[in-house]
Amino acid sequence: MSNCDSCSSKGNCNSEGTGCGGKLEPKYGKIKHIIGIISGKGGVGKSTVTGILATELSKAGHSVGVLDGDITGPSMPRFFGINNKRAEMIQVGDTEEIKFRPVKTSRGIKVISLNLLTEQEEQPVIWRGPVITGVLKQMYSDTEWEELDYLLIDMPPGTGDVALTIMQELPLEGLVVVSTPQDMVSMIVKKVIIMAEKMGINVIGAVENMAYIKCGKCGEKINVFSKKSAKEHAEHLGIPLLAEMPINLNLVESMENGTVEKFLEESNEYEELIHNFKDRIM
C-alpha cells in the first residue's frame, strides 16, 4: 500500500484530475493496469504488438482499452479495421467540457485515436510538441473508458516529448519494449530502456518482432536479420524476453482485410507472449 503521509501530493489527490503522486487520472472510468508499448525507432511493429496484446487480453476475458499515443503516426484504427468509424465527442452537461466516446472493436476493445477524431485519416497533424502532448493527455483523461482491466498505450518511437510526458504524468505500471534482432536497432532501443530507468519506470520485458520466418514446407525457423538469437538480444538489452515473433504474412493479410481479431481468435501463435506478459504483471 502507498504511504499517503509521505506523498508530495497529499491533500491534492483527485484535484484537477490528478491522483496519488500527482499523476493524471481518467475522469470517466477506472483502470487497473496502464501499460505503455514503446520502441526505439519506427517500423519494428510496436503497434502490431499493442494490437496483439490487446486482443489476447480480451480473449482471456479482460476488459481492454487502447490509447493511440502516436499522435503524428496513428495506426491502431487500421490494425483493428475500424478506420472508417469515428469516435463521438459529447458535451458534458451544461458546461463547455467535451468527453470522447471511444470506438469499440468487434471484441469490444475500446480504442481512441486522433485518426478517429479527424474527418479523414490521411489528414496530417502539423503541430508542435506542446500541442501534441496536450491532445494526448486530453484523450487519456477525457475518454469514457468506464471499467478497464488494462489500458495499453501505443507510444511513439524514441525518447521525445510524448514519451517523456507519458512516463512523467501518467500512472504507468510498466513498459513493453519492441525491437527487431539487429544490433543497430538494439542500440537505439537501449536508449529507451535507459530513459525508463532514469524515470523510475518498470520495463516489463522485450518483444523481439520479425525475429524469423518459418518454412512453409518443413516448419524450420529461418533467421532474417541476425544470426543471434532473440534471447541473446534481450540479454544485451538487459531485460527479460517476453516473446520472439515471426514475420507472419497471414497476420499481415488479416490486418489488411480488417479481420485481425478473428485471425487472432483462431490462432495460438502468441500464447507465449500473453503468458509471459501476464506473469510479469500479476
Side-chain angles (χ1 to χ4, degrees):
M1 294 180 65
S2 60
N3 185 352
C4 292
D5 290 334
S6 62
C7 178
S8 61
S9 296
K10 182 183 178 184
N12 295 318
C13 288
N14 297 320
S15 66
E16 300 182 357
T18 58
C20 186
K23 301 288 186 178
L24 284 174
E25 297 290 344
K27 297 177 185 176
Y28 307 106
K30 294 183 179 179
I31 304 169
K32 293 180 182 177
H33 306 283
I34 300 178
I35 309 295
I37 293 83
I38 194 169
S39 62
K41 65 187 298 295
V44 299
K46 166 182 55 63
S47 300
T48 299
V49 171
T50 302
I52 290 171
L53 273 174
T55 305
E56 292 293 331
L57 286 167
S58 178
K59 279 172 58 178
H62 298 288
S63 54
V64 183
V66 173
L67 170 60
D68 196 343
D70 195 347
I71 303 296
T72 58
S75 54
M76 294 315 304
R78 277 272 173 175
F79 177 90
F80 287 109
I82 56 173
N83 48 297
N84 291 323
K85 299 183 179 181
R86 288 295 173 266
E88 295 181 62
M89 290 187 284
I90 304 165
Q91 184 175 349
V92 180
D94 296 328
T95 69
E96 295 182 358
E97 188 176 341
I98 297 293
K99 67 178 179 179
F100 306 119
R101 181 163 292 161
V103 174
K104 291 184 180 181
T105 71
S106 59
R107 286 202 59 88
I109 297 169
K110 296 172 183 175
V111 182
I112 192 69
S113 169
L114 194 63
N115 265 14
L116 298 173
L117 296 168
T118 55
E119 291 185 8
Q120 297 179 336
E121 65 172 348
E122 295 89 355
Q123 185 176 330
V125 171
I126 311 174
W127 295 336
R128 294 192 182 274
V131 177
I132 291 174
T133 55
V135 169
L136 170 73
K137 290 192 288 185
Q138 187 177 7
M139 288 198 303
Y140 162 74
S141 63
D142 293 359
T143 293
E144 200 173 66
W145 296 116
E146 299 177 305
E147 300 280 337
L148 290 181
D149 294 321
Y150 290 91
L151 176 65
L152 304 183
I153 304 176
D154 182 28
M155 297 171 63
T159 57
D161 282 354
V162 175
L164 184 61
T165 295
I166 292 172
M167 291 187 196
Q168 281 185 326
E169 301 192 36
L170 273 59
L172 278 184
E173 186 169 340
L175 291 171
V176 171
V177 179
V178 181
S179 181
T180 57
Q182 297 163 280
D183 284 345
M184 182 179 71
V185 175
S186 296
M187 176 272 294
I188 299 170
V189 169
K190 189 71 175 179
K191 293 176 183 289
V192 171
I193 294 170
I194 293 172
M195 176 186 181
E197 291 172 350
K198 289 180 179 293
M199 301 296 296
I201 304 295
N202 174 45
V203 178
I204 298 164
V207 175
E208 203 74 71
N209 193 31
M210 297 184 279
Y212 61 92
I213 57 174
K214 189 177 288 186
C215 177
K217 293 184 178 180
C218 67
E220 179 187 358
K221 289 183 178 181
I222 303 169
N223 291 345
V224 179
F225 295 115
S226 173
K227 292 182 180 180
K228 294 179 181 177
S229 68
K231 185 177 180 181
E232 286 177 294
H233 279 279
E235 288 174 352
H236 169 71
L237 294 174
I239 57 177
L241 177 66
L242 298 179
E244 59 173 347
M245 291 175 24
I247 297 173
N248 189 332
L249 294 182
N250 292 325
L251 173 66
V252 173
E253 184 179 28
S254 71
M255 289 164 58
E256 292 173 347
N257 295 336
T259 58
V260 68
E261 286 177 294
K262 184 176 185 299
F263 171 80
L264 291 171
E265 284 172 6
E266 298 170 355
S267 172
N268 59 4
E269 192 162 357
Y270 302 101
E271 287 183 351
E272 178 191 18
L273 170 62
I274 196 64
H275 174 77
N276 291 337
F277 172 80
K278 291 184 72 174
D279 269 0
R280 299 273 299 169
I281 291 293
M282 307 305 257

